[in-house]
Amino acid sequence: MKFLYAGLCCEERRTFRIHLSYSIIEGFILGVLALNEFVFIKSLHGSNYQLGVLFQFSMLVFLLLLFVNEFLKRIRKRRVFLRWVGILTRLPLMLLFFFPRSSEALTENNFYHLIFLTVFLVYYLAAPVVNPTINLLLRANYQPQNFGKLYSIATSVNKIVLMVVTFLYGLLLDFNNYIFVYIFPIVSVMGMASIFLLSKINYTPPGSVLIKETVKKSILRSVSNMIELLRNNRPYLHFEISFMLYGMAFMLSTPVITIFFYNALDLNYSSVAFYRNAYNILAIFILPFFGKMIGKTDPRKFGVITFSSLVLFLFFLMITQYFPYHFEFYGIKLYITLIPYVVFHGVFAGTMVLLWNIGSAYFGKVDEADIYQSTHLFLTGVRALFAPLFGIYLYELLGFSITFLLAILLTLSGISLLIWSYKIKKRR
């Protein structure tokens, strides 16, 4: 492991050690959450629209950044605050231990669906605080030339753990569809531990922020800051508009993909885990390469690669219902057209994790990284207001093909904008 720390200064080495440990724990948690939506429709028998809401929550919470941005600046003891966020948002996962272990009880009582949705709404409420904080902590402690490389290494390790846990969790769910009631209390404890660990990364604010103004003024100033940021930084504006087009495509198609796996392809937990792991294996191999690349490449140019991979994996997924040729291997359904789906989804997973998490940081100064990322995440919440449920509505009205086709067209529009914006930069 020593080679990972070669060439790093003392504080950078310490930060990377904590970042790596945090990524390992979060990898376990994400490995469980990777099957969460499939658990909701297969084990809990939730409805399509409830599934859309479950996915929507994971993105909708970023709207709170409108309030959180200014609030975080006022907090002197951010480390203590971060720990309380970890406790309050992860502890409710313990409630899933008390869920019934039978299909009949879950089907007859919609109460458990509502509790499940509420628990995960609370869980996702940590994201508006944790995500910008991670960006700020890492940018403050990593040297610019090492930022992309170290982030990609930690993310690769995260994905390895995620892959192993997803595979094992899928096997356990096929053995017992209600094993999740025992798994989520463990996730609760690990979630609190990971945020406690993250809070140990050192950070010294550039100066004390003493602002005394009403909540209304604070919110209006936060909105004004976001608008000014987008207005004054045209490359960043183009980047975010293209992300809006891509994001709508991604959000309207993702819950429909879960339904597609369940209704159209009749996959079991092991098969879903297999496909998720297959593209994550590819993502792990390519992450180091793209981690170095994003530090040397304009994010708009990098985004063309990411968005194109989404177009291709949606296309091959869409045509699976017309060419449903497959064979079974140890209970896993292997569809021929899902092989290129896995390849392009792997490229998407390996590049989007970098573009979405740190791409915005390259448009501004180091000490503005959290502001750029907060704006980026807030806009994620804006499109989450309508895109997931619109995707469910479109699927129920017109079917899988039209839904996936619309997602492809939206993404192609985003690609066109990125290319246009980058060409303007080259001409100037």
Side-chain angles (χ1 to χ4, degrees):
M1 291 288 289
K2 289 184 178 180
F3 73 93
L4 293 176
Y5 304 101
L8 305 183
C9 65
C10 184
E11 190 57 40
E12 195 174 29
R13 189 181 300 113
R14 179 182 179 275
T15 300
F16 180 59
R17 190 180 294 116
I18 295 173
H19 183 200
L20 198 60
S21 301
Y22 168 81
S23 297
I24 291 170
I25 298 174
E26 284 295 306
F28 181 95
I29 297 169
L30 293 174
V32 173
L33 294 182
L35 299 177
N36 208 34
E37 292 164 18
F38 204 66
V39 165
F40 186 71
I41 61 171
K42 187 174 175 66
S43 295
L44 274 76
H45 307 290
S47 69
N48 290 341
Y49 278 101
Q50 287 175 334
L51 175 67
V53 169
L54 177 60
F55 173 75
Q56 188 179 37
F57 282 163
S58 65
M59 303 292 179
L60 196 62
V61 292
F62 291 123
L63 284 174
L64 294 176
L65 284 167
L66 189 63
F67 310 93
V68 174
N69 267 347
E70 297 300 323
F71 179 68
L72 287 177
K73 292 178 183 178
R74 292 165 169 76
I75 297 178
R76 295 181 180 179
K77 297 181 179 179
R78 186 176 289 199
R79 180 175 297 180
V80 176
F81 177 71
L82 196 61
R83 290 173 179 176
W84 273 110
V85 167
I87 293 170
L88 295 174
T89 57
R90 273 52 181 161
L91 195 59
L93 289 171
M94 293 284 186
L95 292 174
L96 272 68
F97 178 76
F98 302 101
F99 271 43
R101 280 77 162 167
S102 70
S103 175
E104 293 76 15
L106 289 167
T107 305
E108 293 172 1
N109 197 340
N110 197 46
F111 171 76
Y112 292 106
H113 297 154
L114 298 178
I115 292 295
F116 191 89
L117 292 174
T118 303
V119 165
F120 280 98
L121 172 60
V122 174
Y123 175 86
Y124 290 127
L125 284 174
V129 175
V130 175
N131 287 31
T133 301
I134 291 174
N135 211 297
L136 179 65
L137 294 175
L138 298 184
R139 285 286 281 180
N141 287 279
Y142 287 159
Q143 298 178 69
Q145 65 270 25
N146 292 331
F147 186 37
K149 180 184 72 174
L150 296 177
Y151 194 93
S152 64
I153 292 172
T155 305
S156 295
V157 173
N158 173 276
K159 285 191 172 293
I160 291 172
V161 177
L162 180 154
M163 180 183 66
V164 173
V165 172
T166 301
F167 175 71
L168 295 176
Y169 187 43
L171 292 178
L172 288 173
L173 283 167
D174 277 332
F175 175 74
N176 179 358
N177 283 185
Y178 304 98
I179 198 72
F180 65 88
V181 299
Y182 304 106
I183 299 296
F184 277 111
I186 299 173
V187 169
S188 175
V189 174
M190 295 185 75
M192 288 184 278
S194 72
I195 292 184
F196 267 67
L197 193 61
L198 182 68
S199 70
K200 290 184 174 293
I201 296 178
N202 291 329
Y203 174 69
T204 304
S208 299
V209 179
L210 297 174
I211 303 173
K212 294 183 179 180
E213 60 184 6
T214 64
V215 175
K216 182 179 179 180
K217 285 184 178 179
S218 176
I219 294 172
L220 289 174
R221 186 158 61 84
S222 182
V223 172
S224 176
N225 289 341
M226 288 184 179
I227 293 173
E228 286 300 311
L229 192 67
L230 293 167
R231 181 185 296 166
N232 297 330
N233 193 330
R234 285 308 177 100
Y236 182 63
L237 173 64
H238 298 158
F239 179 76
E240 288 302 335
I241 293 175
S242 67
F243 239 99
M244 185 65 73
L245 293 166
Y246 142 78
M248 289 190 293
F250 175 77
M251 289 185 186
L252 71 87
S253 63
T254 298
V256 177
I257 290 173
T258 302
I259 299 170
F260 184 76
F261 281 161
Y262 183 60
N263 287 344
L265 304 186
D266 192 29
L267 299 183
N268 56 15
Y269 283 113
S270 298
S271 297
V272 174
F274 168 79
Y275 287 114
R276 288 186 180 274
N277 281 342
Y279 68 69
N280 274 315
I281 289 173
L282 178 59
I284 289 166
F285 282 109
I286 65 175
L287 258 170
F289 168 76
F290 283 109
K292 294 178 182 178
M293 181 180 176
I294 195 171
K296 304 173 183 177
T297 308
D298 188 293
R300 290 165 292 181
K301 191 175 179 181
F302 192 89
V304 172
I305 300 172
T306 304
F307 293 178
S308 297
S309 61
L310 174 66
V311 168
L312 290 167
F313 92 64
L314 283 176
F315 171 75
F316 284 104
L317 182 70
M318 179 179 66
I319 65 173
T320 302
Q321 60 184 323
Y322 303 107
F323 304 97
Y325 306 112
H326 69 276
F327 60 93
E328 292 198 19
F329 181 76
Y330 287 101
I332 298 172
K333 277 188 176 181
L334 299 175
Y335 283 84
I336 302 301
T337 51
L338 290 188
I339 295 175
Y341 157 82
V342 164
V343 172
F344 292 113
H345 204 153
V347 176
F348 174 78
T351 56
M352 180 51 71
V353 70
L354 296 169
L355 188 67
W356 193 78
N357 282 297
I358 65 176
S360 63
Y362 289 97
F363 287 95
K365 299 175 183 178
V366 172
D367 59 351
E368 296 175 330
D370 60 334
I371 301 173
Y372 275 83
Q373 184 66 359
S374 293
T375 303
H376 177 70
L377 295 176
F378 174 76
L379 293 173
T380 299
V382 170
R383 52 186 175 263
L385 280 170
F386 58 90
L389 294 182
F390 177 67
I392 299 294
Y393 171 77
L394 197 63
Y395 149 67
E396 292 194 345
L397 183 68
L398 300 172
F400 291 115
S401 295
I402 298 299
T403 306
F404 293 146
L405 188 59
L406 176 61
I408 288 172
L409 293 174
L410 284 169
T411 309
L412 287 173
S413 299
I415 292 171
S416 300
L417 178 57
L418 287 176
I419 294 172
W420 174 78
S421 179
Y422 183 72
K423 284 184 176 179
I424 288 178
K425 174 197 170 185
K426 295 291 285 185
R427 284 200 297 267
R428 288 177 178 173

